[in-house]
Amino acid sequence: MPKNEKNRRRKSHAERERIKAKKAASGASYTSAQSGTTHHHRGPEIGPVDGSGFGAGRKADMQTASALIGACVEKCRPCQASLADKVLAGDRLVVASLAGTVYSLLPSPSATCSPATRRFHAVAHDTGRDGYGPAVLAAVEELSQEDLEALLEDTLDVWTAAAGAAPAAEADAPGPEAGEEERDAHRFAAVGGTAYLMSAGIDQLLSPDEMRGLVKHAEKSAVSGDPVVCFLCDEPVDVAAESEVHIGVSTRAVAVDGRELDTVHPVWTHPGCGRTRIWPWPELMAERQRRGLYVAPEDRQPEKPTVPGPRNADYTHFSLVRKPGGGMVPLVLVEPGEPDEYGIEGYLAARLSEGFKPVDLSGGQPFPVLDGWHLRCERGRLVSVMRAGGGAWYRQEGGYATPGEWRRAARQRTALFLVVPAGTVGERQGDDWLAAVSRAAGAGHVLGGVVAVRGTLS
């Protein structure tokens, strides 16, 4: 075969592979990926916004924001990521208009929204006063990039809920990501309309039947006149009157016949007493002490002295890992510089409560998906780890430099994010590093999942 023909075929094959990779990253069809177009999502009809009401002498084009809401309604993750990046990089008057419209009407922000959104609501709820629009725009313009992203995500949740059910998806559109169908898997509705909200991670400790059994127990206890009691105020939980009841669990090691066994106890709480979560028993007892509630003498926790001085820096590692079924995915691993004050039980309880999941690194199981989480990059540097409604979970001023091969792999716009306990890896590299992570995974201490990658990679 002539040399020129070989080169032509090689280039043709490389181009097809490039298009396939682009299609996988964008979720688009071959034709749309090749032409650079994306799906068309019809959101609410939002005309250009006159900035004069916000004290600005310009108009804001809302077409991208409208398409973004449509992508959220239709659960098209690739378009959500790309359109959100465009909105975040554009005129902040767009976000001020979207957020101001909804939060000026809502009497209170969602209990799960970010601190940035709560602060914004305090301003936006007063927009009924003449001339208060400029304060709304000023509040948005003063936000950091992470807080702006958190406000946009919370705002999109409200707009998406108001937009209603999604219309039929386009033929090219990808289905929901793994885990999307289970967004409300831990919310149980009882006969009286009360919502029982269970902690993230509870499914790692209880079976579905056991979770349903907790709801039945609460209902039967209310009927018998002996209602369940809130662990954080010691007052009864009136499941007939509460619109929402929180159910968490506490893990506790107990001695049985000379053996130490882990037990799981339900933790009932009023929504106003604290968010539902998984507690290690010593931390739950310490929290009761802090609130002035009774704690049995054998469960009382000693005061932990505050250790002055600098803390050890967190350790962050970038690599590539093979996905079950083939292919490579960029990996980000974070190890805290300091151990959890309640030991490995505290680490596991905190991470599971935040939604992290055990990750099997042996290749036998697909990697879990962390719905609503993503890595934020700026010019190829990792600057933060974001979670929907919670703002920045992890932030690095100036960002971490990422290897070139990691950035190339991250163009698929997904990555595997892992967290390990302090002291697991440290500065070890090579085979020792891999062996250490594998041992931690075998013990169930490697938590995380697949997250989106957003921002700029070059």
Side-chain angles (χ1 to χ4, degrees):
M1 182 181 295
K3 184 176 181 180
N4 288 343
E5 178 64 16
K6 286 184 178 180
N7 289 338
R8 186 189 67 78
R9 292 193 177 187
R10 187 180 298 114
K11 289 181 180 179
S12 176
H13 175 74
E15 177 64 12
R16 288 196 299 271
E17 291 302 308
R18 185 186 70 81
I19 295 296
K20 285 168 61 179
K22 191 172 182 181
K23 174 187 173 183
S26 67
S29 66
Y30 181 96
T31 303
S32 62
Q34 194 172 29
S35 63
T37 60
T38 58
H39 306 137
H40 295 286
H41 298 285
R42 181 176 296 176
E45 295 184 8
I46 307 176
V49 171
D50 186 350
S52 61
F54 294 87
R58 63 185 186 275
K59 287 188 176 182
D61 187 341
M62 305 297 289
Q63 287 186 343
T64 302
S66 176
L68 173 57
I69 295 171
C72 292
V73 171
E74 295 174 12
K75 299 181 180 178
C76 179
R77 289 291 177 149
C79 287
Q80 285 182 52
S82 61
L83 292 171
D85 282 342
K86 290 181 181 179
V87 171
L88 290 165
D91 190 347
R92 292 202 173 192
L93 178 56
V94 172
V95 179
S97 176
L98 284 179
T101 299
V102 296
Y103 288 112
S104 64
L105 300 175
L106 292 178
S108 62
S110 167
T112 60
C113 73
S114 67
T117 301
R118 294 192 187 97
R119 293 192 298 269
F120 177 80
H121 177 270
V123 176
H125 196 52
D126 289 333
T127 52
R129 291 191 284 172
D130 293 338
Y132 214 70
V136 170
L137 179 57
V140 173
E141 289 179 335
E142 290 171 359
L143 293 175
S144 67
Q145 189 66 23
E146 288 84 2
D147 284 346
L148 179 69
E149 194 163 312
L151 173 62
L152 177 61
E153 288 185 348
D154 290 336
T155 301
L156 289 172
D157 286 344
V158 180
W159 275 92
T160 302
E170 297 180 21
D172 285 341
E177 291 187 5
E180 186 73 34
E181 300 86 348
E182 299 180 2
R183 180 187 296 267
D184 294 321
H186 298 151
R187 182 179 291 271
F188 293 80
V191 177
T194 301
Y196 290 86
L197 183 63
M198 299 202 180
S199 170
I202 199 171
D203 53 347
Q204 302 299 323
L205 302 170
L206 300 176
S207 69
D209 285 343
E210 288 172 326
M211 288 190 283
R212 284 189 289 268
L214 291 178
V215 174
K216 293 178 181 177
H217 172 72
E219 296 286 313
K220 290 180 179 178
S221 297
V223 173
S224 67
D226 183 22
V228 295
V229 174
C230 174
F231 257 74
L232 298 181
C233 73
D234 280 351
E235 295 296 327
V237 179
D238 188 346
V239 298
E242 295 282 353
S243 60
E244 191 171 273
V245 175
H246 288 189
I247 307 177
V249 292
S250 176
T251 57
R252 185 182 189 184
V254 296
V256 178
D257 296 333
R259 295 177 300 161
E260 192 173 81
L261 301 178
D262 289 332
T263 61
V264 177
H265 302 264
V267 176
W268 310 90
T269 54
H270 297 104
C273 290
R275 67 179 181 87
T276 178
R277 58 161 295 184
I278 297 172
W279 299 82
W281 187 259
E283 185 176 2
L284 181 60
M285 294 300 102
E287 179 62 19
R288 286 180 57 83
Q289 283 177 216
R290 189 185 70 81
R291 297 181 182 223
L293 303 176
Y294 173 77
V295 175
E298 63 271 19
D299 287 328
R300 294 196 65 82
Q301 302 298 307
E303 294 253 350
K304 297 195 175 184
T306 302
V307 180
R311 295 171 59 86
N312 293 326
D314 296 338
Y315 171 71
T316 303
H317 179 79
F318 299 91
S319 185
L320 300 179
V321 65
R322 186 171 299 279
K323 295 185 293 187
M328 305 296 288
V329 62
L331 164 73
V332 178
L333 179 141
V334 170
E335 174 185 291
E338 300 287 341
D340 189 280
E341 63 176 324
Y342 293 99
I344 191 64
E345 290 80 9
Y347 157 82
L348 292 172
R351 299 294 82 80
L352 290 174
S353 297
E354 291 165 342
F356 289 93
K357 302 174 183 178
V359 178
D360 179 6
L361 296 177
S362 68
Q365 297 291 331
F367 297 141
V369 174
L370 297 187
D371 184 47
W373 289 74
H374 67 268
L375 308 178
R376 162 62 57 177
C377 295
E378 292 181 5
R379 296 183 179 181
R381 299 178 71 87
L382 176 67
V383 295
S384 61
V385 179
M386 306 286 293
R387 57 174 172 168
W393 179 86
Y394 187 71
R395 180 186 288 116
Q396 174 62 30
E397 194 67 32
Y400 284 102
T402 58
E405 61 177 2
W406 188 94
R407 292 193 299 275
R408 287 190 290 273
R411 295 190 185 281
Q412 65 184 271
R413 291 295 173 180
T414 58
L416 179 62
F417 179 60
L418 302 179
V419 184
V420 296
T424 300
V425 179
E427 296 294 338
R428 290 188 294 274
Q429 301 291 326
D431 292 340
D432 288 342
W433 184 90
L434 293 173
V437 175
S438 296
R439 285 194 298 271
H445 296 168
V446 176
L447 304 178
V450 175
V451 300
V453 176
R454 293 172 60 174
T456 56
L457 293 170
S458 60

